């Protein structure tokens, strides 16, 4: 019975982990389509802005009309680079980027030639180039390439999402079957324990010695149950450590016999094991946050934030981050839980400003009519698309962009809800993010 239950729990954990992975990949495929569409539209708008500035200058001769053109000179290249970084998941996406790069270069060269002629006083020569309509043809071709790329991205994304959706349904069905099987096994185990209790009660009515013997037997049974519970928690990680260990041994002992692809696969197995172990730990922490008792006391949030920022600086002494903390922010809360929430919020702000020169983090309060206190943590880091604000408490950035599992903000939401508050976010892509949370009056359940 013990081996069967352990096996069921291991299979359930595996299917749950695969379901989580399929869901994350499903969301990532949708985000890639949005990113490619946005990058293509942005590039086309910048080309139109550049052409608008050129036309205005040729018609009026006033340099002020060149401002959109000058701005486009510095942004078109960045838009092309951003678009190129997104097309790796689109079959044949590289050819669109190469073709688009050639068209953009041709268009910008034509614009530069006409502007330079007009600046030199040769307006007739500039207009002659415009009247060839070659620039118009280039713009039409660029629109067509961008539209083809966006359609290819939508097609690839739809196919990927369909496959992942099927995987998610299959894993969810498997998890449901295993859960039902586990419940049945637990039911059988509970029946056996109840039967043992009835036998103890029957013996108690006959002989005191039997009472003592059965009591001793019950104590031993409880110890076995405790050991059994620990064994489950331990064995859930044992297969994962075994996979990681064998992958490491394979890389170390047989790395010389493997080609580059084989070594890469072994490394990916180890990375996957490490990430899954981290996810298990984070999910366990999330469960503990939900089940632990609330111990309300007076907490100096400003002091907690200061201590956390000092720890972040000590762990990353090379970072230069301007931290602004409002003094005297106090609240009635569970100190351990609210410290955990602040750890996650400030840790995220620290992480997502890692690529920002002049990084800045702020902790302060804001007016809130529906709560006794509203606080926020603001940063000027990577930010997020406001269209995905409702999904911020899921993972929006890939592990290759920023480390972590994305479970931290889910823990924050649980903690704040247990204090009778709520959480929400504001932000913009590359424009930083602000996470707000409220805390209600004393007596929170």
């Amino acid at each position: 019975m013990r081996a069967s239950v352990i096996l069921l729990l291991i299979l359930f954990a595996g299917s749950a982990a695969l379901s989580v992975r399929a869901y994350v990949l499903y969301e990532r495929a949708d985000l890639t389509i949005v990113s490619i569409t946005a990058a293509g539209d942005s590039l086309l708008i910048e080309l139109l802005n550049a052409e608008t500035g050129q036309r205005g200058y040729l018609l009026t001769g006033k340099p002020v009309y060149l401002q959109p053109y000058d701005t486009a000179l510095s942004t078109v290249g960045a838009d092309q680079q951003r678009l190129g970084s997104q097309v790796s998941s689109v079959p044949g996406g590289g050819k669109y980027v190469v073709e688009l790069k050639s068209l953009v270069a041709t268009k910008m060269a034509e614009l530069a030639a006409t502007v330079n002629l007009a600046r030199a006083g040769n307006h007739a020569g500039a207009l002659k180039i415009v009247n060839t309509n070659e620039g118009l043809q280039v713009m039409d071709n660029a629109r067509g390439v961008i539209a083809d790329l966006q359609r290819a991205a939508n097609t690839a994304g739809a196919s990927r999402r369909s496959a992942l959706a099927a995987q998610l349904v299959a894993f969810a069905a498997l998890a449901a079957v295993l859960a039902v099987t586990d419940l049945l096994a637990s039911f059988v185990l509970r029946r056996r324990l109840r039967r043992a209790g009835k036998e103890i009660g029957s013996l108690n009515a006959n002989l005191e010695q039997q009472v003592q013997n059965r009591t001793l037997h019950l104590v031993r049974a409880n110890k076995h149950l405790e050991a059994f519970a620990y064994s489950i928690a331990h064995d859930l990680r044992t297969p994962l450590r075994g996979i990681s260990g064998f992958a490491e041994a394979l890389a170390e002992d047989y790395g010389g016999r493997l080609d580059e692809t084989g070594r890469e696969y072994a490394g990916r197995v180890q990375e996957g094991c490490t990430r899954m172990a981290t996810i298990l730990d984070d999910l366990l922490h999330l469960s503990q946050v939900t089940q632990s008792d609330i111990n309300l006391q007076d907490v100096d949030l400003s002091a907690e934030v200061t201590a956390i920022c000092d720890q972040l600086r000590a762990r990353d002494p090379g970072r230069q981050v301007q931290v602004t903390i409002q003094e005297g922010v106090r609240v009635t809360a569970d100190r351990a839980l609210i410290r955990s929430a602040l750890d996650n919020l400030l840790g995220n702000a620290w992480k997502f400003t890692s690529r920002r020169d002049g990084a800045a983090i702020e902790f302060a309060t804001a007016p809130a009519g529906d709560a006794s206190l509203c606080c926020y943590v603001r940063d000027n880091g990577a930010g997020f698309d406001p269209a995905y604000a409702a999904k911020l408490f899921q993972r929006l950035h890939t592990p290759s962009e920023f480390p972590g599992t994305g479970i931290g903000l889910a823990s924050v939401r649980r903690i704040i809800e247990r204090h009778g508050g709520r959480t929400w976010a504001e932000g913009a892509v590359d424009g930083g993010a602000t996470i707000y949370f409220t805390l209600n009056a004393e007596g929170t359940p």
Side-chain angles (χ1 to χ4, degrees):
M1 176 63 72
R2 177 184 299 178
S4 299
V5 173
I6 293 174
L7 180 60
L8 285 172
L9 288 173
I10 292 174
L11 292 174
F12 179 78
S15 63
L18 291 173
S19 298
V20 171
R21 179 180 180 276
Y23 178 77
V24 170
L25 291 176
Y26 182 92
E27 292 295 327
R28 190 182 300 170
D30 189 51
L31 188 59
T32 298
I33 294 174
V34 173
S35 299
I36 291 176
T37 301
D41 291 344
S42 177
L43 176 59
L44 188 58
I45 289 171
E46 290 301 327
L47 289 175
L48 291 173
N49 287 340
E51 190 175 60
T52 299
Q54 172 229 31
R55 298 292 174 85
Y57 181 62
L58 294 181
L59 290 173
T60 65
K62 295 181 180 181
V64 68
Y65 283 92
L66 285 175
Q67 182 177 355
Y69 168 78
D70 293 332
T71 300
L73 290 178
S74 61
T75 57
V76 165
D79 285 340
Q80 290 186 87
Q81 184 177 4
R82 184 158 64 100
L83 185 61
S85 66
Q86 297 289 338
V87 300
S88 60
S89 61
V90 180
K95 71 174 184 179
Y96 295 112
V97 174
V98 172
E99 185 177 356
L100 192 58
K101 183 177 180 180
S102 176
L103 291 171
V104 171
T106 301
K107 181 60 180 178
M108 296 306 293
E110 181 253 344
L111 294 176
T114 57
V115 170
N116 290 334
L117 286 172
R119 283 173 171 167
N122 189 356
H123 289 276
L127 291 175
K128 182 178 180 181
I129 294 176
V130 173
N131 289 332
T132 63
N133 291 328
E134 292 180 1
L136 178 61
Q137 184 61 44
V138 170
M139 284 297 294
D140 288 341
N141 292 340
R143 289 189 185 92
V145 172
I146 290 175
D148 290 342
L149 174 58
Q150 290 173 341
R151 280 193 294 271
N154 281 322
T155 300
S159 176
R160 179 64 174 159
R161 290 198 305 271
S162 177
L164 290 172
Q167 290 181 23
L168 185 59
V169 170
F171 293 145
L174 176 59
V177 171
L178 291 173
V180 171
T181 305
D182 182 57
L183 288 174
L184 291 175
S186 299
F187 176 74
V188 172
L189 182 60
R190 285 196 299 269
R191 287 190 61 184
R192 291 185 178 181
L193 289 175
R194 285 197 297 269
R195 187 181 303 167
K198 290 180 179 179
E199 291 177 359
I200 293 174
S202 176
L203 293 173
N204 284 341
N206 297 321
L207 295 171
E208 182 64 24
Q209 184 62 42
Q210 288 186 355
V211 171
Q212 295 177 358
N213 291 339
R214 293 298 183 182
T215 301
L216 179 60
H217 176 74
L218 183 60
V219 169
R220 290 175 178 174
N222 288 335
K223 289 182 179 180
H224 287 316
L225 287 174
E226 292 176 2
F228 177 65
Y230 173 80
S231 176
I232 291 176
H234 175 75
D235 289 348
L236 283 174
R237 289 174 172 80
T238 298
L240 195 60
R241 287 197 297 268
I243 295 172
S244 179
F246 280 117
E248 182 178 1
L250 179 65
E252 292 180 356
D253 299 340
Y254 298 92
R257 305 181 190 179
L258 298 175
D259 59 12
E260 183 178 351
T261 301
R263 289 190 293 272
E264 180 185 355
Y265 285 168
R268 287 188 179 183
V269 171
Q270 290 180 278
E271 291 174 2
C273 290
T274 300
R275 179 161 176 76
M276 186 172 290
T278 302
I279 291 174
L280 287 174
D281 291 340
D282 288 350
L283 289 174
L284 178 60
H285 174 70
L286 180 61
S287 175
Q288 291 171 343
V289 163
T290 303
Q291 299 175 8
S292 61
D293 294 332
I294 291 285
N295 180 23
L296 296 177
Q297 57 183 296
D298 181 64
V299 180
D300 187 343
L301 293 186
S302 300
E304 298 293 338
V305 172
T306 300
I308 293 169
C309 290
D310 289 343
Q311 292 175 357
L312 291 171
R313 286 194 177 98
R315 288 200 300 264
D316 197 359
R319 291 281 308 278
Q320 297 295 324
V321 181
Q322 179 183 351
V323 179
T324 304
I325 302 173
Q326 179 177 327
E327 296 294 333
V329 181
R330 308 187 73 89
V331 67
T332 300
D334 184 292
R335 184 177 182 276
L337 290 180
I338 208 67
R339 173 65 179 250
S340 176
L342 292 171
D343 267 327
N344 279 306
L345 292 176
L346 294 166
N348 277 349
W350 190 272
K351 173 173 62 179
F352 290 118
T353 57
S354 61
R355 301 178 183 178
R356 175 78 67 192
D357 293 332
I361 299 173
E362 179 185 5
F363 169 78
T365 59
D370 61 342
S372 59
L373 180 67
C374 176
C375 302
Y376 65 83
V377 173
R378 176 175 294 149
D379 66 71
N380 64 343
F384 61 92
D385 189 335
Y388 293 93
K391 296 184 178 181
L392 182 65
F393 293 87
Q394 306 167 14
R395 185 174 180 88
L396 293 183
H397 298 277
T398 64
S400 60
E401 293 176 306
F402 297 97
T405 62
I407 300 176
L409 283 180
S411 296
V412 171
R413 171 161 284 179
R414 292 284 185 89
I415 291 170
I416 297 305
E417 288 176 350
R418 295 202 66 195
H419 284 80
R422 62 188 182 93
T423 56
W424 70 97
E426 296 176 357
V429 175
D430 202 34
T434 304
I435 310 296
Y436 295 91
F437 64 91
T438 63
L439 294 171
N440 284 336
E442 298 182 11
T444 299

